Amino acid sequence: MTTHFGRHFRRALFGACVSLAGVGADLQASAQDTSAPQLAQTQPRAFNIPAQPLESALLAFGQQSGRQIVSHGDLVKGLSSPGVRGMLSIEAALQQLLAGTGLTYSTSGGAVSLQRAGQGAGLPPGALQLDPVQVQGAFPVPAQAMIDNAPPPYAGGQVATGGQLGLLGNRGVMDTPFNQTSYTAQKAQDQQARTVKDVMADDPSVRSQRRVNAIGDDNVFIRGFQVSSTATAYGGLYGILPTASISAELAERVEVLKGPSAMLNGMAPNGGFIGGTVNVVPKRAPDADLTQMTASYGSIGQVGAHADVARRFGEEKEFGVRFNGLFRAGQTEVEWNSEQRGLAALGLDYRGQRLRLSADLGYQYQYVGGVIPFIGLSPGVQLPWAPDASKSPGGQPWAWQQRKDLFGVARAEFDVTDNVTAFAAFGAHDYRLTTLTTPIVTVTNFSGNATSTAPENTSSAYTYLSGEAGVRGFADTGPIRHEFSLAGSIFRQFTSSGSVTGAAFTTNIYAPNVTAIPNLATPAANLASTAALSSIGLVDTMSGANGRVQLTAGARLQQVQANNYNPLTGIQTSSYDQSAISPTVALVVKPFWENVTFYANYIQGLQQGSVVPNNFANAGEIFPPFQSTQYEAGIKIDWGKLTTTASIFQISRPSTLTNVATNTLVLSGEQRNQGLELNFFGELAEGVRVLGGVMFLNAVLTKTQGGATNGWIAPFAPGAQFNIAGEWDLPFAKGLTALGRLTYTGSQYIDTTLPRRSLPEWTRFDVGARYAFENPSAKGKLLVARFNVDNVLGANYWEGGNQVTTLFLGQPRTFRLALAADF
């Protein structure tokens, strides 16, 4: 059951690294090509920058144009800009922005250099890069600050130039010794993403684990390992966001970090998933007033509205308020399936000279009718043809689930000195889930006959508390700079549940048997478990040679406590209290050019260990937290407006096995995932944006029960995943953009029995268009119409699963139409 992947993997890696590094000299030469016509030849873009101080106007211009601004530190102080609005080329927009300031500009490799009129072209001696994230209103912000300090978008606007790395704070892409991608709110809006999971649709290392509006949560696979939606952090804090499905309208950024991150973020709740973590950056009020209303329609009867309103107040715009409200309801593209979703989110912030405060409060409601079940497959049964995905195979029109999430978090930062910032955050989240569903329909023959699990009426309540506090800063010791952070975190979870079941029934995935609504009492939700995660982490990044060499070393002490209870009697049935230390070492080297980075890391992931059950001879033994280990190395090249990366990784995850001879449970199992990732994002040419890549994966069961399946490929781990998405601003139609996406997933095994069964490979095509034009009712503002079609060819296919009993289909053809208006 082994493959020749390892040999091909090494050859592919060698070729990728040589081809990327070998063009470095050409890159260096091209980056120095100074040509002002680069701005003059750009296609029109939408700009909305009101009159304001030039410093903040340049911030907005950098974000909306995707260009880097370079200037003397004091050149723009005291100057005001008249602003710029409308569909303009970057050159025309910049000229309007600088009108009356006495400044002019030149370009160098896509960067814009400002100087006083008559000073001459080129980069002025001693010039500084104006980092847009280093100014908030009138107050400079230290680099170690996190509140309202997200790195600016990269060229093309779909991906940011950096992201949050937990204990390390904000890091630029080229200074990050990991593979992380930070997707922007603009990308989510242009894609018409409904959830945070949708925002990750262009990432080749990420695949979904369930259908939209199906039973379960918005879980995904990253690097071949399961990652639960509960592993999604909100500004670095776990447990705050809606548990099952997170609305995309909450996010300013969706940051995907591939691989384990115990030292960076602490252990994630509910299993400490090791494939990766997702962080959502909250939205903040920009300096310019924002009033945007969006009306939407989706197949086949989903009607929605979204309001995004922001204002800043005070002489220096110290106080910010941003509100996002969403309501969407109606029939979806799947038979019997409907969704009603509401969101109200309020973001508040204060920006002082040394003190920064923020608060994020939210409520999300979701009701799904005609919940789609998972599809199981009985042992020995051949995988049937994928049924019509628009017909809810095996589903029932009476099945439903209701979710309510009330959450909030407050943060504070204080600059103790210019180099050291103290920070603290605390949040709480209450989640209520009620359902009446048939979770799984198990196919019993190739003709699609199936048996449904017993209908369940369940009630669940979850309470989460999460917090952190620490200091972050930097200090110079001779030629070495130290960027350090010390932080502690706490997490508490209280879970209550109750369930009443009915009688199973037979059905067919091609012709479902519609049954009567079961008469099941609604149960009470009683305490079932508690969990407590506490940790303290310390990290130091030592950099020398002007930042060309950066060595990061750190460790986190993690304590895991858990108690389980009988929901009917309240009696405690088990407990767990263990700890582990997770070290990390990472290296960034820029040996030849500033825009070429080599990196490597060693990092661990943690999962709660287990208590040996009573049927084993070593019953009651408590295993410490399971420690997964990752080794990774890669190269990143920033070509100016396009970034390409290549990385190789190996993640080893332990598991328990039964020693039959002694009837003991032992910690001796292992799965090892090895992979090669190639990623790209940015602008290929003016008006042509690309995003995507490929992941080759070799997921092998290395230590199994009795060695029976050693060397077998792990279930639900495709050998290849490919994504490419593109946007093209059509030169012959001002304001019109064409969109497209191709997604490919290779074949994947679904079990570990002979003969092995597998899901066939699949390919999906998505298309769309966007048209931006001036709002006739608000001069200088825009109207943007968006139209997206997923699975445009209407293919029916098995998309994936989590185990042999939880397969799911791909989405049917789905279209979405929206009109956004700025006022």
Side-chain angles (χ1 to χ4, degrees):
M1 292 297 172
T2 58
T3 71
H4 297 292
F5 176 85
R7 182 168 62 251
H8 298 305
F9 175 83
R10 289 188 292 270
R11 291 176 179 173
L13 170 67
F14 180 77
C17 291
V18 169
S19 60
L20 285 173
V23 295
D26 295 335
L27 167 66
Q28 184 73 0
S30 62
Q32 294 174 349
D33 178 26
T34 301
S35 55
Q38 283 183 345
L39 294 181
Q41 295 171 1
T42 61
Q43 295 297 320
R45 296 192 181 199
F47 289 92
N48 183 15
I49 305 173
Q52 57 189 288
L54 184 57
E55 283 184 335
S56 56
L58 289 171
L59 160 63
F61 178 80
Q63 292 174 336
Q64 296 179 25
S65 68
R67 295 304 174 96
Q68 184 184 78
I69 311 297
V70 177
S71 174
H72 278 294
D74 59 352
L75 187 64
V76 298
K77 287 184 178 179
L79 298 179
S80 297
S81 169
V84 56
R85 287 190 174 94
M87 294 294 298
L88 300 164
S89 68
I90 294 178
E91 180 189 38
L94 185 57
Q95 289 174 349
Q96 288 191 27
L97 198 74
L98 298 178
T101 64
L103 302 182
T104 185
Y105 70 91
S106 60
T107 64
S108 177
V112 178
S113 174
L114 301 184
Q115 58 265 330
R116 292 184 177 86
Q119 185 176 0
L123 189 66
L128 303 173
Q129 177 179 325
L130 281 181
D131 187 346
V133 305
Q134 299 304 307
V135 176
Q136 291 180 351
F139 304 114
V141 177
Q144 66 270 15
M146 300 290 288
I147 294 178
D148 198 13
N149 198 25
Y154 187 70
Q158 298 177 310
V159 172
T161 55
Q164 294 183 8
L165 269 178
L167 200 58
L168 293 177
N170 282 328
R171 287 295 174 97
V173 170
M174 305 303 288
D175 294 310
T176 297
F178 303 94
N179 189 347
Q180 182 188 46
T181 305
S182 180
Y183 300 104
T184 65
Q186 185 64 51
K187 187 260 186 189
Q189 185 178 31
D190 288 340
Q191 177 189 339
Q192 294 195 69
R194 293 165 291 188
T195 64
V196 165
K197 185 182 74 169
D198 291 344
V199 179
M200 298 183 281
D202 296 314
D203 198 313
S205 300
V206 179
R207 285 296 182 266
S208 177
Q209 197 179 301
R210 73 167 189 126
R211 294 184 66 181
V212 176
N213 292 336
I215 192 75
D217 301 341
D218 281 355
N219 301 339
V220 296
F221 283 98
I222 301 179
R223 288 187 168 177
F225 288 112
Q226 176 187 353
V227 176
S228 168
S229 61
T230 57
T232 302
Y234 196 31
L237 283 186
Y238 288 126
I240 303 301
L241 285 168
T243 298
S245 181
I246 306 166
S247 296
E249 288 78 7
L250 280 166
E252 181 63 35
R253 300 283 162 77
V254 175
E255 301 174 333
V256 183
L257 175 63
K258 288 120 181 160
S261 60
M263 191 281 291
L264 297 174
N265 300 301
M267 177 176 158
N270 298 329
F273 304 97
I274 65 168
T277 54
V278 180
N279 181 56
V280 171
V281 179
K283 289 184 174 180
R284 290 283 170 259
D287 285 340
D289 289 350
L290 172 66
T291 304
Q292 186 179 90
M293 303 294 174
T294 303
S296 62
Y297 178 81
S299 56
I300 58 176
Q302 281 267 307
V303 178
H306 172 222
D308 189 358
V309 181
R311 296 289 187 273
R312 298 210 69 87
F313 305 95
E315 292 184 3
E316 304 294 349
K317 297 189 176 182
E318 303 97 320
F319 301 95
V321 179
R322 186 163 183 175
F323 172 79
N324 272 267
L326 166 72
F327 183 79
R328 183 171 61 241
Q331 177 72 29
T332 73
E333 60 279 356
V334 178
E335 184 179 36
W336 303 329
N337 185 250
S338 63
E339 183 196 29
Q340 179 176 305
R341 182 184 292 249
L343 171 70
L346 182 67
L348 308 171
D349 72 274
Y350 167 77
R351 309 186 309 201
Q353 186 169 4
R354 287 190 174 272
L355 177 67
R356 292 170 296 281
L357 305 171
S358 71
D360 295 280
L361 311 172
Y363 176 75
Q364 180 178 286
Y365 173 85
Q366 185 187 21
Y367 178 89
V368 178
V371 175
I372 304 167
F374 282 113
I375 298 177
L377 190 61
S378 295
V381 174
Q382 181 182 351
L383 180 73
W385 296 104
D388 186 346
S390 67
K391 297 298 184 182
S392 188
Q396 295 293 322
W398 45 259
W400 59 269
Q401 60 186 6
Q402 178 178 260
R403 301 160 172 163
K404 299 177 181 179
D405 294 270
L406 179 65
F407 55 96
V409 59
R411 305 176 188 276
E413 288 183 341
F414 181 75
D415 301 330
V416 181
T417 68
D418 291 343
N419 299 349
V420 178
T421 296
F423 60 89
F426 182 80
H429 172 200
D430 181 79
Y431 171 50
R432 303 300 171 102
L433 170 67
T434 52
T435 69
L436 178 60
T437 61
T438 55
I440 302 172
V441 173
T442 303
V443 176
T444 56
N445 60 34
F446 184 73
S447 299
N449 291 332
T451 300
S452 173
T453 55
E456 296 181 359
N457 191 343
T458 63
S459 297
S460 302
Y462 302 81
T463 299
Y464 307 90
L465 303 173
S466 187
E468 67 172 351
V471 293
R472 184 181 294 114
F474 66 90
D476 294 323
T477 56
I480 304 298
R481 164 162 289 196
H482 296 265
E483 297 178 59
F484 59 87
S485 181
L486 172 66
S489 67
I490 59 169
F491 173 84
R492 300 291 184 268
Q493 177 177 328
F494 304 87
T495 302
S496 301
S497 64
S499 178
V500 177
T501 59
F505 57 89
T506 60
T507 186
N508 187 285
I509 62 173
Y510 303 113
N513 173 28
V514 178
T515 66
I517 301 175
N519 184 18
L520 300 176
T522 301
N526 299 317
L527 182 65
S529 66
T530 63
L533 305 176
S534 305
S535 72
I536 184 168
L538 174 65
V539 66
D540 182 21
T541 297
M542 296 159 281
S543 58
N546 294 321
R548 290 184 178 273
V549 179
Q550 303 174 29
L551 176 63
T552 298
R556 184 182 291 267
L557 173 62
Q558 180 78 60
Q559 184 180 34
V560 184
Q561 297 172 303
N563 297 297
N564 293 311
Y565 302 88
N566 185 316
L568 298 179
T569 65
I571 298 175
Q572 181 175 312
T573 57
S574 65
S575 63
Y576 184 91
D577 189 351
Q578 293 287 305
S579 61
I581 296 178
S582 297
T584 293
V585 178
L587 180 67
V588 167
V589 179
K590 304 176 184 179
F592 308 115
W593 312 278
E594 280 290 338
N595 48 352
V596 178
T597 292
F598 294 89
Y599 75 93
N601 66 69
Y602 164 85
I603 193 168
Q604 292 185 332
L606 291 178
Q607 296 173 284
Q608 180 180 321
S610 56
V611 180
V612 178
N614 292 329
N615 57 317
F616 289 95
N618 60 333
E621 181 180 351
I622 300 176
F623 291 119
F626 299 162
Q627 293 180 299
S628 301
T629 301
Q630 172 179 278
Y631 298 92
E632 180 182 4
I635 178 175
K636 305 177 184 182
I637 301 180
D638 184 351
W639 306 85
K641 290 196 272 186
L642 177 72
T643 292
T644 55
T645 70
S647 59
I648 58 171
F649 63 87
Q650 175 181 289
I651 304 174
S652 299
R653 180 182 67 180
S655 60
T656 56
L657 296 176
T658 300
N659 186 323
V660 178
T662 60
N663 188 34
T664 56
L665 192 68
V666 294
L667 184 59
S668 59
E670 183 184 72
Q671 177 178 328
R672 183 178 300 158
N673 286 15
Q674 297 174 321
L676 165 65
E677 294 167 323
L678 304 173
N679 299 94
F680 53 84
F681 57 86
E683 286 186 325
L684 271 180
E686 196 63 49
V688 179
R689 295 169 289 281
V690 293
L691 177 62
V694 62
M695 181 182 73
F696 299 105
L697 183 67
N698 186 35
V700 179
L701 302 174
T702 51
K703 299 177 183 178
T704 62
Q705 187 70 48
T709 56
N710 284 3
W712 286 28
I713 300 299
F716 301 109
Q721 297 175 178
F722 176 75
N723 292 62
I724 180 169
E727 294 187 351
W728 181 29
D729 298 334
L730 302 178
F732 49 82
K734 180 180 178 180
L736 183 61
T737 301
L739 318 173
R741 179 196 295 128
L742 182 151
T743 304
Y744 168 82
T745 299
S747 175
Q748 46 192 311
Y749 291 112
I750 64 176
D751 54 15
T752 55
T753 57
L754 289 174
R756 297 201 75 178
R757 297 171 292 177
S758 62
L759 304 182
E761 63 183 4
W762 57 267
T763 304
R764 189 183 73 225
F765 296 93
D766 308 328
V767 298
R770 181 172 70 249
Y771 181 53
F773 54 100
E774 190 163 338
N775 187 347
S777 62
K779 187 176 181 180
K781 304 288 187 174
L782 293 176
L783 287 171
V784 182
R786 296 177 172 89
F787 181 66
N788 298 79
V789 183
D790 296 339
N791 192 8
V792 67
L793 300 181
N796 295 313
Y797 58 94
W798 295 104
E799 183 171 344
N802 181 32
Q803 48 187 317
V804 69
T805 56
T806 54
L807 308 179
F808 65 95
L809 297 168
Q811 283 295 107
R813 182 187 294 114
T814 306
F815 69 83
R816 300 183 300 281
L817 177 66
L819 179 64
D822 285 299
F823 297 96

